Amino acid sequence: MTQTLHTPRATGQAAITVDLVILTIRGGELQALLIERGNPPYRGQLALPGGFVRDSETLDQAALRELHEETALDGRQLHLEQLRTYGDPHRDPRQRVVTVAYLALGPNLPVPTAGTDAQAAGWHPVGQALTRVLAFDHSTIIREALERARSQLEYTTAAAAFCPEPFTIGDLRQVYEVVWGFPLDPSNFRRKVTRAEHFLRPTSEHRVAETGRPAALYRRGSAQLLHPPLLRAGARARAQFTAAALR
Amino acid sequence: MTQTLHTPRATGQAAITVDLVILTIRGGELQALLIERGNPPYRGQLALPGGFVRDSETLDQAALRELHEETALDGRQLHLEQLRTYGDPHRDPRQRVVTVAYLALGPNLPVPTAGTDAQAAGWHPVGQALTRVLAFDHSTIIREALERARSQLEYTTAAAAFCPEPFTIGDLRQVYEVVWGFPLDPSNFRRKVTRAEHFLRPTSEHRVAETGRPAALYRRGSAQLLHPPLLRAGARARAQFTAAALR
DNA sequence: ATAATAGTGTCTGTAAGACATTATATA
DNA sequence: TATATAATGTCTTACAGACACTATTAT
């Protein structure tokens, strides 16, 4: 027990790692950063980036460090949160490894440099990533991360973490559409996010696109939570109805 | 890294425990199960129940086992979910201990038996528990657990886990009032929960109270999520307004 | 009758969904 | 001009908050 801990024994000892589900939007698609394993087990298979937690660092610090090693970004610009911990005794065939999974959302992240262990790292559309067999229990982790990300968009302002500043309301709407996988009404979406307090900070600038009226540019506001939430339920019902009508 | 793990080294090794925030409603108050530590460090201080994860069990199994050891209940009747993982390198002064915290919600749990390590276990109102200094980082854990529980009541049917079956709508409303800490309109609450699909399963029975009209009895329905959610925001705003008016 | 809680009904304000209309750019 | 996207406005529906009113028990 935490309370007694008379003697340090093998019981309860495990290696601690952090694994990162790093999501970004590239080419109008939601993509996740995956590495190709260079060593057994699961050699040659895709896996989430991650690594050991060092003796001197907190779990959050370990996640930030791994994030920096993989994407050369510091955590100040993006959304990073603990997702869940996975500790099945046989999730790693070699020894017991308990991994704390983190979810990171970032804007237009760069093509990753070659990993420190000469592992190829690259972006993969999450749709593909979900159908592939990943190493360890990483398929489960990425599936739960995607659901968390979708849910975060409902109740928080996390969607703005996907947008490089400054951004338009159209950019922000595209984030929702790509992550949720169905279209939103542009008019109602605008009304919703502009009325939410401190979600968007207006600028006086505009962006001239290839075509169409120039769009006003915004920056991220101070709000973390979205009140009231922007729920998928109604829109999803409509999308399902549409999908049913097409069958 | 999880991916390489060339050599088993000290780096990343830690003891793994589970800690439980077990909440129930007793005497119209939200209470948490705490143990009094019989050994240093933090001897004599209050702490969350918990213990080592065994080599052969999953994290969820460890939480269920500890729950059974502390309350003599199996997990089938109550709500149990992983809360968060705490791994500050100095959270335990003796060695590195990473703990996976769980949140358990149960109906009218019994007075706990003496702990296996002769530790006194007992129920404490969460309000008091929050003001006391608990062992380790358990004050943080219980604070985050309370916020999670309050949030769960908004988006899920978890409130019913606090009610011994069968229960009345008044019982269920009292759960919300006790956990959230402010009163709800009985009429609107009834409309909300009865219209939510598969939240409540009606029975043909009624309960005759000391006074007042007998109340219809319900059992928990199959729904896990509450659509649309029952948000604190509006009600909280009213409560704050009321509190402000009283000052 | 009175008190107390259960349960129903109604009015109002807010916000979401659907969709029409106007504004401003490029080709 | 046509086309595309931005931005505003309008109508309707769903639902929450407030609260009046009825129902059914015990004292």
Side-chain angles (χ1 to χ4, degrees):
Chain A
M1 300 202 178
T2 305
Q3 295 73 35
T4 51
L5 199 73
H6 324 278
T7 54
R9 31 174 182 155
T11 302
Q13 288 283 331
I16 310 295
T17 61
V18 291
D19 283 320
L20 270 58
V21 180
I22 309 172
L23 300 179
T24 195
I25 292 179
R26 294 165 55 88
E29 271 190 307
L30 185 64
Q31 308 210 7
L33 189 68
L34 299 177
I35 58 123
E36 189 180 327
R37 288 180 54 76
N39 295 309
Y42 301 105
R43 181 179 203 138
Q45 269 184 248
L46 292 174
L48 294 172
F52 283 115
V53 176
R54 294 182 183 160
D55 288 347
S56 62
E57 65 188 1
T58 66
L59 301 175
D60 286 3
Q61 285 167 351
L64 283 168
R65 177 177 52 75
E66 290 289 340
L67 184 69
H68 180 74
E69 288 177 13
E70 298 290 346
T71 65
L73 290 178
D74 59 19
R76 282 169 291 190
Q77 272 289 75
L78 43 76
H79 179 95
L80 181 69
E81 65 171 67
Q82 190 180 306
L83 173 63
R84 226 203 112 145
T85 296
Y86 300 83
D88 187 279
H90 305 109
R91 61 178 295 279
D92 189 309
R94 292 161 296 180
Q95 65 162 116
R96 182 141 200 183
V97 178
V98 170
T99 195
V100 184
Y102 278 79
L103 173 64
L105 312 179
N108 196 17
L109 297 173
V111 175
T113 56
T116 48
D117 286 287
Q119 295 158 333
W123 294 105
H124 297 257
V126 286
Q128 291 179 25
L130 286 172
T131 60
R132 293 208 204 184
V133 179
L134 301 186
F136 306 104
D137 50 4
H138 291 185
S139 289
T140 300
I141 297 177
I142 202 171
R143 189 167 5 94
E144 296 188 12
L146 178 60
E147 180 47 38
R148 171 75 70 93
R150 286 177 169 156
S151 176
Q152 289 280 20
L153 261 51
E154 294 188 300
Y155 304 111
T156 76
T157 59
F162 283 109
C163 296
E165 289 190 311
F167 54 88
T168 69
I169 290 181
D171 295 338
L172 189 64
R173 177 168 50 85
Q174 197 212 1
V175 169
Y176 278 87
E177 293 179 336
V178 164
V179 175
W180 284 354
F182 53 82
L184 297 177
D185 183 288
S187 175
N188 297 335
F189 181 82
R190 163 183 306 278
R191 180 178 59 195
K192 178 70 189 177
V193 297
T194 52
R195 286 192 185 174
E197 292 195 351
H198 305 295
F199 189 2
L200 301 179
R201 195 154 43 92
T203 72
S204 55
E205 305 163 276
H206 286 256
R207 178 192 295 165
V208 178
E210 299 169 353
T211 177
R213 175 174 170 177
L217 288 167
Y218 296 84
R219 294 182 177 276
R220 292 186 270 273
S222 56
Q224 301 290 319
L225 295 175
L226 204 51
H227 268 301
L230 176 45
L231 299 175
R232 282 173 286 178
R236 182 199 278 163
R238 179 173 60 82
Q240 285 178 343
F241 177 79
T242 306
L246 292 174
R247 284 192 211 108
Chain B
M1 301 202 178
T2 306
Q3 295 72 33
T4 53
L5 199 73
H6 325 276
T7 53
R9 31 176 184 155
T11 302
Q13 288 285 136
I16 310 295
T17 61
V18 292
D19 282 320
L20 270 58
V21 180
I22 310 172
L23 300 179
T24 195
I25 292 178
R26 295 164 54 87
E29 270 190 307
L30 185 64
Q31 307 210 6
L33 188 68
L34 298 177
I35 59 124
E36 190 180 325
R37 289 179 54 76
N39 295 308
Y42 301 106
R43 182 179 203 137
Q45 269 183 248
L46 291 174
L48 294 172
F52 282 116
V53 176
R54 293 181 183 161
D55 288 346
S56 61
E57 65 189 0
T58 66
L59 301 174
D60 285 4
Q61 286 167 350
L64 284 166
R65 177 176 53 76
E66 290 289 339
L67 184 68
H68 180 74
E69 289 176 13
E70 298 290 347
T71 66
L73 289 179
D74 58 19
R76 282 169 292 192
Q77 273 289 75
L78 43 76
H79 179 96
L80 181 69
E81 65 172 66
Q82 189 180 306
L83 174 63
R84 225 204 112 143
T85 296
Y86 301 83
D88 186 280
H90 305 109
R91 60 179 295 279
D92 188 309
R94 294 160 297 179
Q95 65 162 115
R96 181 142 201 184
V97 178
V98 170
T99 195
V100 184
Y102 279 78
L103 173 64
L105 313 178
N108 196 17
L109 297 173
V111 176
T113 56
T116 48
D117 286 286
Q119 294 158 333
W123 294 105
H124 299 257
V126 285
Q128 291 180 25
L130 286 172
T131 59
R132 293 209 204 183
V133 178
L134 301 186
F136 306 104
D137 51 4
H138 291 185
S139 289
T140 300
I141 297 177
I142 202 170
R143 188 166 7 94
E144 296 188 12
L146 178 60
E147 180 47 38
R148 171 75 70 95
R150 286 176 169 158
S151 176
Q152 289 281 21
L153 261 52
E154 295 188 298
Y155 304 112
T156 75
T157 60
F162 283 109
C163 298
E165 290 190 310
F167 55 88
T168 70
I169 290 181
D171 294 338
L172 189 64
R173 178 168 49 86
Q174 198 212 0
V175 169
Y176 277 86
E177 293 178 336
V178 165
V179 175
W180 284 353
F182 52 81
L184 297 177
D185 184 289
S187 176
N188 296 335
F189 181 83
R190 163 183 305 280
R191 180 179 59 194
K192 178 72 189 176
V193 298
T194 52
R195 285 191 185 174
E197 293 196 351
H198 305 295
F199 190 1
L200 302 178
R201 196 153 42 92
T203 71
S204 55
E205 307 164 275
H206 286 256
R207 177 192 296 166
V208 178
E210 298 169 353
T211 178
R213 175 174 170 177
L217 287 166
Y218 296 83
R219 293 181 178 277
R220 293 186 270 274
S222 56
Q224 302 290 319
L225 294 176
L226 205 52
H227 268 302
L230 176 43
L231 299 175
R232 283 173 286 179
R236 180 200 280 164
R238 178 172 60 84
Q240 284 179 343
F241 177 80
T242 305
L246 291 174
R247 283 193 212 110

